[in-house]
Amino acid sequence: MTSGGLEHHVANAATETDASTWFADELGALNWRPDGLYVATSTAGRLESVEFWRAAAETGFAFANPRLFPWTLANSPTGSIAKALEVRGPTYTLVGRADALVGAFDHASDDLARELVFSAAVVAVDVADDRTPSLAAVLLTSPVLACQLGIMVEDLEGRGRPSDLLSHVLARARSAAVERRSLHSGNV
Amino acid sequence: MTRPDDDRVVVTGIGLVCALGTDPDQVFTRILDGEFAAREWPDLVADGFPITVANRVEDAGEYGRRPARRGRALTVHAVGNAIADAGLGAAHLKNAGVYVGSTMGESAGFEAAAAYSATDLDDATADTFAAEIAREFGTNGTLRTYGTACAAGNYAIGSAARAIASGRIDVAIAGGVDAFSRIAMLGFARVRAMSPDRCRPFDRNRRGMQLGEGAAFLVLERERSATRRGARRRAVIGSLGLSGDAHHPTAPRPDGSGSATALRSALRATGVRANEIGWINAHGTGTAASDAAESAAVATVFGDRTGPPVSSLKGAFGHCMGAAAAVEAAMTVLALERHVIPPTVGVLDVDDQLPIDVVVEPRPAPDLRWALNCGNAFGGLNSALLIGAAS
């Protein structure tokens, strides 16, 4: 049973399109292939929806950008990351803030416990502010750890901003990963 | 192995709103009669949309007063009817979980923001629907919102059933919603996924999907609880099978292998054999690529032209986006109750290149016990929800 923690903040990303594309590349470079992907998003394609519609109104509907449209859907970051990591198992996109992250952990831990998947990536797409989404990921292969993190997130729910909460989660995950690395070197 | 009966998760209430109506029985009957809701809309013509035919809910008075709350109005109507159908009182609702799927959120809110109108984007984001249900109906349980595009209704229902089966909650309100979205109407046209006239799933001359709108919600409970309070058990919810294509942002894997994995996963997790499936309520959008991939998936799992009959209902009430799989799940329950498989409305000339048995007329099915309700989506999502007869 191993686990790993990653955290990335994309300070200059204009939209989740930029952020998740970049992030998928970063995760892909790890050459780690989770069976399942569980994404919590508080942005849910809303910036892209506004941008798509505003641009269409300015250019005329006949010239609306077909490449931007799929990014108006909440699950586009999930699809992008799933493609980069070659995830062929379950992929979830939960919309909301702390509650969505709890949901992502719930689904990941449930699928791990039922052995529907043997490794899972839990990713959060968080609105730091309206123009700078950030992303964070926890890579899990242990239902026990997933449950612990789920409980911890529930404990923290309602405290502070979501990005603060994610920092707590990721600090715990990273700590756990470091501890486990000493026992299972090279697993993450 | 199938779960013991007293552990089953059952449907005790159904409520819906779609372009074919607001009464589930009447909507099902209209589908059996081959009716469809699509028509041209003058406002879309006047605004210069490339495609102007859609399946919209006609009652603008009830749902149209505040466009940025239209999805919530549809939701409250459907959930209210589902709760009434289930006969649930406030005491049962108090700890109910709320599981909602949505593709676009309150799209009119984003359209207003794009026009530089002061808009709280949080108020338009998809999780606003679950919050509205909790407020309106006094639930205090888990709130979950699945932004899993056109498969979102299946995700919501399957996840709710799983939460009940695992003992985390006792009662759930689960389904999906999307109000008519001008963003989606334009976007799907621009990615060349839409038909300019009729939606004809599995037809040789199919030209694409047609947009719809609506909301559909089911009340789910553990069978023992439902029996104890004397509720009508309308259907059983089995497992939700999921898979990812990891292939393309908008196109499915042509061989249907992702969709086949989802079908197999639903069967395996519920312990139902392939030969027990009596009907597949397909995703069936009417696009060339999606219908071909889905047909290939069915043939892979069930055999070439030897599998269960397949229908798509999107030719009747359009593609309801986040509500699609939920509306279709409600129709699946009706098919199981009435022992008849509804036809694929809109199909004129079945594509004989597709290796499946396409239902073109209502087909009596006295032995129908299990059906698969399918929903796939952009981003490479595949879902299959197993739904069974209650008795």
Side-chain angles (χ1 to χ4, degrees):
Chain A
M1 298 209 296
T2 61
S3 68
L6 285 175
E7 181 175 12
H8 292 279
H9 291 283
V10 188
N12 296 319
T15 63
E16 67 183 35
T17 315
D18 302 337
S20 56
T21 301
W22 179 83
F23 193 64
D25 290 344
E26 291 286 307
L27 279 176
L30 292 176
N31 200 29
W32 186 73
R33 300 285 176 258
D35 301 323
L37 176 61
Y38 306 82
V39 175
T41 172
S42 57
T43 69
R46 62 196 199 176
L47 301 177
E48 285 75 7
S49 293
V50 173
E51 187 180 340
F52 174 79
W53 194 245
R54 183 173 289 165
E58 289 169 359
T59 62
F61 287 175
F63 299 101
N65 183 354
R67 291 184 185 278
L68 181 56
F69 171 66
W71 287 94
T72 67
L73 310 179
N75 68 316
S76 278
T78 312
S80 173
I81 295 168
K83 184 168 184 286
L85 301 185
E86 298 175 21
V87 177
R88 299 294 305 273
T91 65
Y92 281 81
T93 305
L94 290 119
V95 180
R97 294 181 188 271
D99 55 336
L101 189 54
V102 171
F105 277 116
D106 276 352
H107 281 295
S109 56
D110 191 45
D111 285 355
L112 286 160
R114 296 165 69 202
E115 300 189 342
L116 292 177
V117 300
F118 295 94
S119 57
V122 178
V123 177
V125 182
D126 170 36
V127 181
D129 62 49
D130 271 354
R131 300 303 296 174
T132 56
S134 60
L135 298 96
V138 183
L139 315 179
L140 303 169
T141 52
S142 159
V144 175
L145 179 62
C147 292
Q148 287 171 341
L149 286 168
I151 291 165
M152 187 185 66
V153 171
E154 284 189 284
D155 288 345
L156 289 170
E157 196 170 10
R159 280 195 220 166
R161 298 173 60 227
S163 51
D164 296 336
L165 185 149
L166 283 177
S167 297
H168 283 289
V169 171
L170 291 159
R172 279 286 294 273
R174 185 178 293 113
S175 167
V178 169
E179 287 171 15
R180 286 162 191 266
R181 267 202 196 100
S182 65
L183 298 174
H184 306 279
S185 59
N187 280 320
V188 176
Chain B
M1 186 189 310
T2 309
R3 292 190 208 104
D5 281 359
D6 61 359
D7 278 336
R8 300 195 310 179
V9 176
V10 295
V11 179
T12 56
I14 300 173
L16 64 79
V17 185
C18 71
L20 266 189
T22 58
D23 178 292
D25 277 294
Q26 286 181 3
V27 170
F28 190 78
T29 299
R30 293 184 73 181
I31 295 169
L32 294 181
D33 291 342
E35 293 187 40
F36 60 93
R39 70 170 174 88
E40 186 164 81
W41 290 83
D43 61 316
L44 301 180
V45 176
D47 288 346
F49 277 81
I51 303 289
T52 54
V53 177
N55 301 259
R56 293 159 87 177
V57 176
E58 297 273 359
D59 190 347
E62 187 173 352
Y63 309 114
R65 280 190 211 100
R66 299 169 68 186
R69 292 189 58 85
R70 183 179 177 85
R72 278 166 282 190
L74 296 169
T75 296
V76 168
H77 186 116
V79 171
N81 284 351
I83 289 170
D85 185 38
L88 277 186
H92 292 105
L93 283 171
K94 187 177 174 188
N95 295 313
V98 175
Y99 294 72
V100 181
S102 178
T103 300
M104 304 303 295
E106 289 282 20
S107 180
F110 302 129
E111 293 157 24
Y116 301 99
S117 167
T119 304
D120 177 2
L121 292 183
D122 281 346
D123 192 54
T125 304
D127 53 338
T128 198
F129 301 121
E132 182 80 357
I133 293 169
R135 258 194 309 274
E136 188 73 22
F137 298 99
T139 70
N140 293 314
T142 303
L143 303 183
R144 292 274 185 270
T145 299
Y146 297 86
T148 40
C150 307
N154 261 0
Y155 270 78
I157 297 168
S159 298
R162 176 69 198 147
I164 293 171
S166 65
R168 290 199 293 274
I169 56 173
D170 294 322
V171 178
I173 297 164
V177 56
D178 263 304
F180 179 76
S181 165
R182 288 168 182 268
I183 293 172
M185 190 74 194
L186 178 59
F188 282 110
R190 290 290 294 139
V191 298
R192 299 176 186 277
M194 292 183 86
S195 168
D197 41 44
R198 292 284 305 279
C199 174
R200 303 189 188 284
F202 306 121
D203 193 288
R204 187 191 310 273
N205 299 309
R206 63 191 181 276
R207 299 176 69 185
M209 58 169 275
Q210 262 180 352
L211 199 60
E213 68 171 334
F217 286 86
L218 309 180
V219 173
L220 308 182
E221 304 176 58
R222 198 169 290 107
E223 183 163 44
R224 187 183 295 171
S225 310
T227 303
R228 194 161 47 229
R229 70 179 188 84
R232 177 168 61 141
R233 294 162 295 150
R234 303 194 61 168
V236 175
I237 299 295
S239 288
L240 173 67
L242 297 174
S243 73
D245 275 352
H247 172 64
H248 189 273
T250 60
R253 283 187 180 268
D255 64 2
S257 57
S259 189
T261 299
L263 293 168
R264 284 199 191 97
S265 175
L267 294 172
R268 189 168 51 243
T270 313
V272 169
R273 293 186 301 274
N275 63 10
E276 294 179 84
I277 301 300
W279 177 43
I280 295 176
N281 191 356
H283 183 55
T285 58
T287 66
S290 178
D291 286 4
E294 191 172 18
S295 301
V298 171
T300 299
V301 175
F302 296 97
D304 208 8
R305 298 177 196 278
T306 60
V310 178
S311 311
S312 165
L313 307 184
K314 289 185 171 70
F317 43 65
H319 191 328
C320 298
M321 311 299 296
V327 175
E328 290 156 20
M331 293 298 101
T332 302
V333 173
L334 268 290
L336 289 158
E337 285 182 331
R338 289 165 66 162
H339 301 287
V340 59
I341 297 172
T344 303
V345 175
V347 69
L348 294 175
D349 183 10
V350 173
D351 184 351
D352 58 13
Q353 298 295 306
L354 304 177
I356 56 171
D357 171 15
V358 178
V359 180
V360 297
E361 296 287 343
R363 191 178 294 186
D367 299 324
L368 183 61
R369 293 276 302 139
W370 291 101
L372 280 161
N373 189 60
C374 301
N376 304 329
F378 277 13
L381 306 185
N382 306 291
S383 74
L385 180 66
L386 199 51
I387 304 178
S391 56

